């Protein structure tokens, strides 16, 4: 049986399927996930807040922001997001927001605060920052989900995330990465792997995947569905599906902005039974 966890929004929405390249069709790479009562935002590059509005979601609805790494196409709208959480003062954010990113984020954030000061500082009871290990796997438990993270090959702070819900759904978000054994380990048996596929096979760039390499990871991990995203414009004139099919035979989606992905709700995750 397939159903939506929430009647209001689907459990998973691709907000942006693009890169740093300005595009009306593809906003910077970002995904929105609803897990029970929590809404999780993965990466926050330029254009993400507009896409959130188009996905019928206010910035105040977001309880968690996950940063895969610090490149501007993944973090560039953090400052406007926080500024919009404070002003106008009569309508400032009151609900808690947790930012999760790898070790080094606090230094990165402190640098932003050096520039923007109190414009982006939220009360400690509203904003908390959690740094995750950038040298090995890590697991954290939250009320609505379990988070697993692992370093991947892109920047030294680059990590991929796996979210496991109480319904037994597991979703993996690769962030930017080159071919990574760690990503295979993290994605084993996942319902959905949202995987970067920045450039076509013949334009492979260091630190990024191609469709056939992403397919190789998905096949090795035995994921139930692969969603390719983070497409540079060169991808729009290449046979991305055909290249991915060289290595992966399972269900495949090529992301576009505001794509909604329905999830199959299964058994309760025993890890969440307390
Ligand atoms: Zn990057
Ligand atoms: Zn990127």
């Amino acid at each position: 049986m397939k159903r939506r966890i929430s009647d209001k929004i689907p459990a998973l929405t691709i907000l942006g399927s693009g890169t740093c390249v300005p595009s009306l069709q593809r906003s910077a790479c970002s995904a929105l996930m609803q897990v029970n009562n929590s809404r999780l935002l993965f990466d926050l590059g330029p254009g993400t807040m507009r896409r959130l509005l188009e996905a019928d979601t206010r910035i105040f609805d977001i309880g968690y922001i996950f940063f895969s790494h610090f490149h501007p196409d993944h973090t560039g709208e953090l400052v406007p997001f926080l500024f919009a959480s404070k002003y106008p003062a009569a309508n400032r954010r009151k609900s808690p927001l947790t930012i999760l990113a790898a070790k080094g984020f606090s230094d990165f954030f402190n640098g932003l605060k050096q520039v923007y000061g109190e414009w982006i500082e939220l009360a400690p009871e509203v904003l908390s920052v959690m740094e995750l290990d950038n040298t090995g796997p890590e697991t954290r438990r939250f009320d609505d989900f379990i988070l697993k993270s692992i370093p991947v090959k892109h920047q030294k702070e680059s990590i991929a995330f796996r979210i496991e819900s109480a319904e037994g759904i597991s979703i993996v978000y690769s962030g930017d990465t080159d071919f990574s054994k760690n990503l295979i380990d993290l994605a084993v048996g996942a319902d959905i792997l949202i995987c970067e596929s920045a450039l076509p096979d013949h334009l492979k760039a260091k630190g990024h995947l191609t469709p056939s390499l992403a397919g190789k990871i998905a096949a090795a991990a035995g994921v139930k569905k692969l969603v390719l995203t983070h497409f540079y414009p060169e991808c729009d004139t290449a046979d991305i599906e055909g290249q991915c099919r060289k290595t992966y035979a399972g269900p495949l989606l090529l992301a576009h902005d505001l794509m909604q992905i329905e999830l199959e709700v299964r058994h309760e995750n025993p890890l969440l039974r307390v």
Side-chain angles (χ1 to χ4, degrees):
M1 182 185 84
K2 288 197 173 185
R3 71 170 173 87
R4 290 178 177 181
I5 290 174
S6 158
D7 290 337
K8 209 163 165 225
I9 66 161
L12 181 60
T13 303
I14 301 296
L15 294 172
S17 57
T19 61
C20 59
V21 178
S23 164
L24 291 173
Q25 283 73 43
R26 297 194 186 278
S27 191
C29 188
S30 179
L32 172 67
M33 202 181 294
Q34 168 134 3
V35 188
N36 299 323
N37 295 315
S38 297
R39 287 191 213 182
L40 288 53
L41 180 63
F42 292 82
D43 286 330
L44 181 46
T48 301
M49 289 201 293
R50 256 192 101 92
R51 286 289 190 250
L52 275 174
L53 290 171
E54 289 171 307
D56 195 24
T57 303
R58 305 174 315 148
I59 58 169
F60 300 126
D61 297 330
I62 303 297
Y64 300 86
I65 302 174
F66 299 79
F67 287 114
S68 62
H69 63 299
F70 308 154
H71 274 156
D73 57 325
H74 297 256
T75 58
E77 218 160 71
L78 173 61
V79 165
F81 187 101
L82 294 174
F83 188 67
S85 300
K86 283 195 75 158
Y87 303 101
N91 190 31
R92 70 173 42 161
R93 183 183 185 104
K94 297 179 185 67
S95 56
L97 173 67
T98 302
I99 296 177
L100 298 107
K103 197 167 181 319
F105 180 79
S106 291
D107 289 344
F108 172 82
F109 193 32
N110 286 335
L112 293 175
K113 286 195 258 188
Q114 291 283 320
V115 177
Y116 291 102
E118 65 176 22
W119 299 336
I120 60 167
E121 288 174 12
L122 302 182
E125 64 271 20
V126 172
L127 179 62
S128 54
V129 170
M130 284 189 189
E131 284 193 336
L132 302 163
D133 194 355
N134 66 336
T135 61
E138 188 158 351
T139 301
R140 303 256 181 135
R141 180 188 292 257
F142 297 86
D143 288 345
D144 285 333
F145 59 91
I146 290 173
L147 164 69
K148 296 179 178 173
S149 65
I150 203 160
V152 290
K153 287 186 183 167
H154 185 64
Q155 296 291 301
K156 69 178 187 314
E157 77 280 7
S158 288
I159 51 176
F161 301 104
R162 178 179 179 127
I163 301 297
E164 295 178 352
S165 77
E167 293 84 4
I169 293 169
S170 51
I171 300 173
V172 173
Y173 179 84
S174 72
D176 289 5
T177 185
D178 210 316
F179 189 83
S180 165
K181 170 78 166 58
N182 274 357
L183 181 57
I184 296 172
D185 292 345
L186 186 72
V188 164
D191 290 285
I192 293 180
L193 168 60
I194 304 167
C195 192
E196 82 119 288
S197 173
L199 287 158
D201 283 359
H202 62 287
L203 296 173
K204 164 85 176 82
K206 192 170 184 295
H208 287 289
L209 291 169
T210 62
S212 66
L213 286 175
K216 199 171 167 185
I217 288 171
V223 303
K224 299 185 181 70
K225 187 176 283 180
L226 173 62
V227 181
L228 297 182
T229 189
H230 199 283
F231 294 128
Y232 275 93
E234 289 82 350
C235 294
D236 290 326
T237 51
D239 180 11
I240 299 303
E241 182 171 357
Q243 293 180 8
C244 187
R245 286 298 181 212
K246 287 191 251 169
T247 52
Y248 172 75
L252 172 66
L253 293 173
L254 306 186
H256 59 77
D257 287 21
L258 300 174
M259 171 186 267
Q260 298 174 343
I261 301 167
E262 300 220 351
L263 298 164
E264 196 171 337
V265 176
R266 294 196 313 274
H267 55 87
E268 186 183 344
N269 184 344
L271 291 173
L272 280 180
R273 279 194 212 118
V274 183

